[in-house]
Amino acid sequence: MAVLKIVKLGAPVLRQIAESVPPDTIGTRAFQQFLDDMLETMVAADGIGLAAPQVSHSEQVLVMECKGEEHGFPQTIMINPTIVGLSPVTAEGWEGCLSVDGLRGKVKRAVGVRVKFLDRDGKPVELDASGLYAICVQHEIDHLQGKLFLDRMTDLSTLTQIEEFDQYWRTDSVEVI
Ligand code: NI
C-alpha cells in the first residue's frame, strides 16, 4: 500500500472530466492496488472521501468512509458512478476539500441522492444515501466532472479561512472531502 500525492487547486487534472473505467480492468491486481492506495491516502489525509483525479488519475473512481455512530457511513468504493435521483429538498452545510487547502465554504446540496455504480468486484449497485453520506457522494462525483465545492457556492460571502472558521464558526460541523 502507498499514500499517494494529493494535488491541489490549480492542477489541471482537477478540472478534467474523468474517463470511465473499462469494467474488465476492475479485477486486475494493479487496479485493486490503486483502490487500496486511495483508501490509505484518504485516511492519512483525515478525509472522508477522495476522488481519483485528486491523486492525478483522471478516472471515475471514488472512495469514501466516515467512522462514527451518528453521521458515519460505511466504506464505499464507487466506480463509474452516476446520480440517478436527487431529493428536491436541499440543505446548506460547510464543506472543505483535500485539494483546497485552508478554505471552508457553505454549499447547498440535495439531502438525499440515489446513485448507480460498480463496486470493487465490478458488481452493479444502486444506493440511496442521505445526510452526510449524500453530501459526500455529490462532492466526490463533482470531482469526476472537474468541479470543486467552490464552483457550487452560490454566495461567496461564506468563504472562510481555517483560522477564522475555528474562531467564528467552529460550533458548526464541517466535512473535508
Ligand atoms: Ni474534495
Side-chain angles (χ1 to χ4, degrees):
M1 302 245 281
V3 172
L4 307 170
K5 181 178 160 45
I6 296 177
V7 299
K8 306 290 176 167
L9 183 65
V13 67
L14 291 176
R15 295 311 197 168
Q16 288 165 12
I17 299 199
E19 302 277 339
S20 67
V21 176
D24 59 351
T25 65
I26 293 173
T28 63
R29 204 163 143 177
F31 188 79
Q32 292 292 318
Q33 179 67 54
F34 176 59
L35 296 177
D36 288 332
D37 289 348
M38 279 189 67
L39 286 166
E40 193 180 351
T41 303
M42 174 183 74
V43 170
D46 278 331
I48 61 168
L50 184 71
Q54 294 180 274
V55 290
S56 300
H57 285 245
S58 194
E59 290 182 288
Q60 292 183 30
V61 182
L62 314 172
V63 300
M64 288 176 262
E65 180 171 22
C66 182
K67 296 201 166 99
E69 305 248 310
E70 212 180 328
H71 303 292
F73 51 82
Q75 186 182 103
T76 311
I77 292 174
M78 295 187 181
I79 300 160
N80 301 342
T82 316
I83 290 178
V84 291
L86 286 168
S87 70
V89 180
T90 58
E92 200 174 49
W94 289 100
E95 290 183 29
C97 178
L98 294 175
S99 292
V100 182
D101 284 345
L103 292 176
R104 305 281 183 257
K106 280 192 169 184
V107 183
K108 200 184 270 187
R109 304 267 191 195
V111 298
V113 60
R114 172 170 287 188
V115 56
K116 274 167 70 167
F117 58 92
L118 301 176
D119 68 11
R120 75 177 300 164
D121 300 318
K123 193 169 64 89
V125 177
E126 194 160 326
L127 176 93
D128 286 308
S130 61
L132 176 58
Y133 202 6
I135 293 168
C136 191
V137 167
Q138 291 169 79
H139 178 117
E140 296 309 334
I141 289 181
D142 272 355
H143 275 301
L144 303 183
Q145 301 298 321
K147 293 231 175 290
L148 300 169
F149 80 90
L150 299 164
D151 307 318
R152 296 290 183 199
M153 291 182 67
T154 49
D155 178 4
L156 286 174
S157 71
T158 64
L159 195 62
T160 302
Q161 301 203 132
I162 291 201
E163 269 185 36
E164 283 65 27
F165 184 85
D166 289 342
Q167 187 177 350
Y168 299 108
W169 306 101
R170 71 175 161 215
T171 53
D172 293 1
S173 66
V174 60
E175 304 310 331
V176 181
I177 32 196

